[in-house]
Amino acid sequence: MSATRVDFRRHNGFVSPECLDDTLNIIGVGATGSNVALAAAKMGFTRFRIWDHDVVEAHNLPNQAYDLCHVGMPKVEALEAVLKRFNPEIEVETNQCYFTAEEHGDDLEGPLILTVDTMKAREEITNCFEGNILIDTVMESGLGFDHGTVNIIDCTNVDDIQEWKNSLFSDEELEEGPCGLRICTTMVGMVANFMVQQLCKKYAAQKTGAAWTPKKRTALAFSDQGLDLYQT
């Protein structure tokens, strides 16, 4: 009797695992990155390449994809366990380290999810994907307690790259939220799932030969009225 496999038929009409055959690169597998990985796996991605130097701590559990049993483990190893628990057919290339352009730039090929903590890291990673035809899509996110942003960057588009560079600022200018209001799992989920939905729309468009023309920047914010969405 053959082993039971994950059945993706419920969303095959949108995008099937056969379409999602690229390796998904994720730099930073904390709140947004780990949830992007799990959502992507549930959509049918089976190959991941991930970077993070950190270990899982108890305060990570409410907003990241990890469980109590992962506390103390390197995040990349814990995420590999989470993904394979969902689908044993998944393959994960783990890198327990800071991503640097010099050491890891040549490893990038396929879609790139950028969810690092610092502006300095974002700037350095830009040097890896600027003009790189092997990286077909870059998605970057920013996160606050009740708001988040998603940027979609075409690596070969000079205007996209310049606009992205102009949006970067120094880490000293980065405002930190008040204690107890720094990050919330509801917003993390919204941002991570939005990124995966956009990525799947890209592959679905490729399957049919349709154009994929996403908004370059999306901002999501919780308000008294519900969820506000702004796109440009």
Side-chain angles (χ1 to χ4, degrees):
M1 182 177 178
S2 60
T4 302
R5 302 178 67 191
V6 179
D7 186 343
F8 294 97
R9 77 180 75 180
R10 294 281 178 126
H11 61 245
N12 265 356
F14 168 42
V15 65
S16 65
E18 289 74 23
C19 299
L20 308 177
D21 58 353
D22 285 336
T23 297
L24 181 56
N25 301 274
I26 307 178
I27 305 178
V29 292
T32 308
S34 65
N35 282 289
V36 162
L38 184 54
K42 286 179 176 285
M43 290 303 296
F45 276 92
T46 56
R47 293 190 295 174
F48 296 82
R49 185 182 296 116
I50 59 177
W51 286 264
D52 201 301
H53 73 286
D54 213 350
V55 300
V56 179
E57 299 182 64
H59 66 82
N60 298 143
L61 303 184
N63 54 60
Q64 301 185 20
Y66 310 115
D67 304 325
L68 275 171
C69 65
H70 299 125
V71 172
M73 289 178 62
K75 286 185 178 179
V76 292
E77 293 181 11
L79 184 55
E80 179 180 19
V82 168
L83 297 179
K84 288 188 172 182
R85 180 177 62 191
F86 164 69
N87 183 359
E89 297 180 20
I90 283 176
E91 301 174 6
V92 186
E93 178 186 313
T94 62
N95 298 276
Q96 191 193 353
C97 58
Y98 284 104
F99 179 98
T100 66
E102 182 178 354
E103 293 182 66
H104 310 289
D106 292 339
D107 296 335
L108 294 176
E109 183 174 351
L112 170 61
I113 304 295
L114 182 56
T115 59
V116 293
D117 292 332
T118 68
M119 287 293 166
K120 182 179 179 181
R122 282 172 166 81
E123 185 175 3
E124 180 177 359
I125 295 167
T126 303
N127 297 329
C128 297
F129 65 71
E130 182 175 3
N132 189 339
I133 61 173
L134 297 179
I135 306 172
D136 53 10
T137 305
V138 176
M139 292 191 185
E140 181 271 347
S141 69
L143 200 63
F145 180 76
D146 57 3
H147 61 277
T149 59
V150 175
N151 291 293
I152 300 177
I153 308 161
D154 180 348
C155 305
T156 61
N157 185 307
V158 175
D159 292 335
D160 266 21
I161 294 293
Q162 191 56 54
E163 185 175 350
W164 162 245
K165 286 183 174 180
N166 292 341
S167 73
L168 298 175
F169 48 87
S170 70
D171 288 304
E172 288 72 23
E173 297 175 87
L174 189 63
E175 293 184 8
E176 187 171 310
C179 184
L181 291 176
R182 294 180 183 177
I183 194 168
C184 186
T185 192
T186 49
M187 180 52 66
V188 172
M190 293 291 294
V191 170
N193 283 291
F194 178 83
M195 295 174 81
V196 175
Q197 177 77 357
Q198 291 299 307
L199 191 58
C200 288
K201 286 180 70 174
K202 169 184 177 293
Y203 284 94
Q206 286 181 347
K207 178 183 178 181
T208 61
W212 180 61
T213 54
K215 296 293 185 180
K216 297 297 183 181
R217 181 177 177 82
T218 300
L220 306 94
F222 287 128
S223 69
D224 293 339
Q225 286 71 45
L227 179 70
D228 298 323
L229 185 70
Y230 309 92
Q231 293 186 307
T232 56

